[in-house]
Amino acid sequence: MNNTLLLPLPGNDSLADALATRIDAEIGKVTVRRFPDRESYVRIESPVEGRTVLLCCTLDRPDDKIMPLLFLAEAARDLGAEKVGLVAPYLAYMRQDHRFQPGEGITSFYFAQLLSSVVDGLVTVDPHLHRHRSLEEIYSIPCRAVRAAPAISNWIRTHLPRPLLIGPDRESEQWAAAVAAGAGAPYLILEKIRRGDREVEISLPMADRWRDRTPVLIDDIISSGGTMIEAVGQLRRVGLPPPVCIGVHAVFADQAHADLLASGAGQVATCNTIPHPSNRIDIGDLLAEGIRSLLTLPPSSPE
Ligand code: R5P
């Protein structure tokens, strides 16, 4: 019997399938459902005793997912798993990393403490590290933060002529700079002022010298779409062509994807950290390497 058991939570099957062969794990089965009173029922249907169990659950819309996840982690341990890890390609609750208004909760820290209390390790992709420099500042378990930049750069190199990477705000510079370097392209950063949950204002430094380039907006998260939509508007107002919009994490709240397409964006491309029709960029190999590193397995050899 293979010692590593990958347990996908509902909605995470294709990612788990793609990872299993890369990390030499067996795929197991769980049942998650609601009782009529909306409490969560969980059951692990594969043997876990003495094994390393990896729960696979991307954490967009986290509030509905967290109770089943916590219960499955506890159940795995209770049933004798040797170690319980979490593969969460999108890690939620990273943006409220500061008390912006008196009385607010610093939920990035509380969420980190909660997960750290039930799993032994965590692998994720491009967590929104802004005021925290590393996950270990808030998580008390070993963590691997995989960077999607190499996969995004590779996609840009093979799909877009003469790209100009544009970050919609200062926080996006870490992604824009890394992707631009990998794609061998220049980048610039816009200035953003956030007026509310869904309202942002963005200004554009002089862009005249880049008119012969394909504008490529890049951000880590596209949630309400407000940041991208405002940036698309700015670029269109100065006469640039419809920009390609790339997000690492396709959170897309409500109608955000349709709104972004309707705002004058060109194509929208995201990584498959959250399943979505806009997924174009596969992070499977990078994520698998992050898991191998957490499990202290040797890196896979190139084919
Ligand atoms: C924030 O700093 C992030 O990097 C993104 O810019 C932000 O999360 C995007 O959110 P929204 O799509 O709601 O504007």
Coordinates of all heavy atoms in Angstrom, one line a residue, residues 95 128 168-169 171-172 175 192 194 197 200 219-228, ligand 1:
R95 N -5.9 38.6 3.3 CA -5.8 40.0 3.0 C -6.1 40.9 4.2 O -5.6 42.0 4.3 CB -6.8 40.3 1.9 CG -6.2 39.8 0.6 CD -7.1 40.1 -0.6 NE -8.4 39.5 -0.6 CZ -9.4 39.8 -1.4 NH1 -9.2 40.7 -2.4 NH2 -10.5 39.1 -1.4
H128 N -1.4 35.6 -0.4 CA -1.3 37.1 -0.5 C -0.5 37.6 0.7 O -1.0 38.0 1.7 CB -2.7 37.7 -0.5 CG -2.6 39.2 -0.7 ND1 -2.6 39.8 -1.9 CD2 -2.6 40.2 0.2 CE1 -2.5 41.1 -1.8 NE2 -2.5 41.4 -0.5
P168 N -1.6 46.3 -11.3 CA -2.6 47.4 -11.0 C -2.3 48.2 -9.8 O -2.9 49.2 -9.6 CB -3.9 46.6 -10.9 CG -3.6 45.2 -10.6 CD -2.2 45.0 -11.2
D169 N -1.5 47.7 -8.9 CA -1.2 48.5 -7.7 C 0.2 48.0 -7.1 O 0.7 47.0 -7.6 CB -2.3 48.3 -6.6 CG -2.5 46.8 -6.2 OD1 -1.6 46.0 -6.4 OD2 -3.6 46.5 -5.7
E171 N 0.9 46.5 -4.4 CA 0.9 45.1 -3.9 C 1.1 44.0 -4.9 O 1.6 42.9 -4.6 CB -0.4 44.8 -3.2 CG -0.5 45.6 -1.9 CD -1.9 45.4 -1.2 OE1 -2.3 44.2 -1.1 OE2 -2.5 46.4 -0.8
S172 N 0.8 44.4 -6.2 CA 1.0 43.4 -7.3 C 2.4 43.4 -7.8 O 2.7 42.5 -8.7 CB 0.0 43.7 -8.4 OG 0.3 44.9 -9.0
W175 N 4.4 40.1 -8.1 CA 4.0 39.1 -9.1 C 4.4 39.7 -10.5 O 4.9 38.9 -11.3 CB 2.5 38.9 -9.0 CG 2.1 38.1 -7.8 CD1 2.3 36.7 -7.6 CD2 1.7 38.6 -6.6 NE1 2.0 36.4 -6.3 CE2 1.5 37.5 -5.7 CE3 1.3 39.9 -6.1 CZ2 1.1 37.7 -4.4 CZ3 0.8 40.0 -4.8 CH2 0.8 38.9 -4.0
K192 N -3.0 52.6 -7.1 CA -4.4 52.3 -6.7 C -4.8 53.0 -5.4 O -4.1 52.9 -4.4 CB -4.6 50.8 -6.6 CG -5.9 50.4 -6.1 CD -6.2 48.9 -6.3 CE -5.9 48.1 -5.0 NZ -6.3 46.7 -5.1
R194 N -8.0 52.4 -2.8 CA -9.2 51.7 -2.5 C -10.2 52.5 -1.8 O -9.9 53.0 -0.7 CB -8.9 50.4 -1.8 CG -10.1 49.5 -1.6 CD -9.8 48.1 -1.0 NE -9.2 47.2 -2.0 CZ -10.0 46.5 -2.9 NH1 -11.3 46.7 -2.9 NH2 -9.5 45.6 -3.7
D197 N -15.0 48.1 -0.4 CA -14.8 46.7 -0.8 C -14.8 46.5 -2.3 O -14.1 45.6 -2.8 CB -16.0 45.8 -0.3 CG -15.9 45.5 1.2 OD1 -14.9 46.0 1.8 OD2 -16.8 44.9 1.8
V200 N -12.5 51.0 -6.4 CA -11.1 51.4 -6.4 C -10.8 52.4 -7.5 O -11.6 52.5 -8.5 CB -10.1 50.1 -6.7 CG1 -10.1 49.2 -5.5 CG2 -10.5 49.4 -7.9
D219 N -2.4 40.2 -11.5 CA -2.6 40.4 -10.1 C -2.7 39.0 -9.5 O -2.8 38.0 -10.2 CB -3.9 41.1 -9.9 CG -3.9 41.9 -8.6 OD1 -2.9 41.7 -7.8 OD2 -4.8 42.8 -8.4
D220 N -2.5 38.9 -8.2 CA -2.6 37.6 -7.6 C -4.1 37.1 -7.5 O -4.4 36.0 -7.8 CB -1.9 37.6 -6.2 CG -2.5 38.6 -5.2 OD1 -3.1 39.6 -5.6 OD2 -2.4 38.3 -4.0
I221 N -5.0 38.0 -7.0 CA -6.4 37.6 -6.8 C -7.3 38.5 -7.7 O -7.1 39.7 -7.7 CB -6.7 37.8 -5.3 CG1 -5.8 37.0 -4.4 CG2 -8.2 37.5 -5.1 CD1 -5.9 37.3 -2.9
I222 N -8.2 37.9 -8.3 CA -9.3 38.7 -8.9 C -10.6 38.3 -8.2 O -11.0 37.1 -8.3 CB -9.5 38.4 -10.4 CG1 -8.2 38.5 -11.2 CG2 -10.5 39.4 -11.0 CD1 -8.3 38.2 -12.7
S223 N -11.1 39.2 -7.3 CA -12.2 38.8 -6.5 C -13.5 39.5 -7.0 O -14.2 39.0 -7.8 CB -11.9 39.2 -5.0 OG -13.0 38.9 -4.2
S224 N -13.7 40.8 -6.5 CA -14.8 41.5 -7.1 C -14.6 42.0 -8.5 O -15.5 42.3 -9.2 CB -15.1 42.8 -6.2 OG -14.0 43.7 -6.5
G225 N -13.3 41.9 -8.9 CA -12.9 42.4 -10.2 C -12.6 43.9 -10.3 O -12.2 44.4 -11.3
G226 N -13.0 44.6 -9.2 CA -12.9 46.1 -9.2 C -11.5 46.6 -9.6 O -11.4 47.5 -10.3
T227 N -10.5 45.9 -9.0 CA -9.1 46.4 -9.3 C -8.8 46.3 -10.8 O -8.3 47.2 -11.4 CB -8.1 45.6 -8.4 OG1 -8.4 45.7 -7.1 CG2 -6.7 46.0 -8.7
M228 N -9.0 45.1 -11.3 CA -8.7 44.8 -12.8 C -9.6 45.7 -13.7 O -9.1 46.3 -14.6 CB -9.0 43.4 -13.1 CG -7.9 42.4 -12.8 SD -6.6 42.5 -14.0 CE -5.5 41.3 -13.3
Ligands
R5P1 C1 -5.1 43.1 -3.2 O1 -4.2 43.8 -2.7 C2 -4.9 42.0 -4.2 O2 -3.6 42.0 -4.7 C3 -5.9 42.3 -5.3 O3 -5.5 43.5 -6.0 C4 -7.2 42.3 -4.8 O4 -7.5 41.3 -4.0 C5 -8.2 42.3 -6.0 O5 -9.5 42.4 -5.4 P1 -10.7 42.9 -6.3 O6 -10.8 42.0 -7.5 O7 -11.9 42.7 -5.3 O8 -10.5 44.3 -6.6

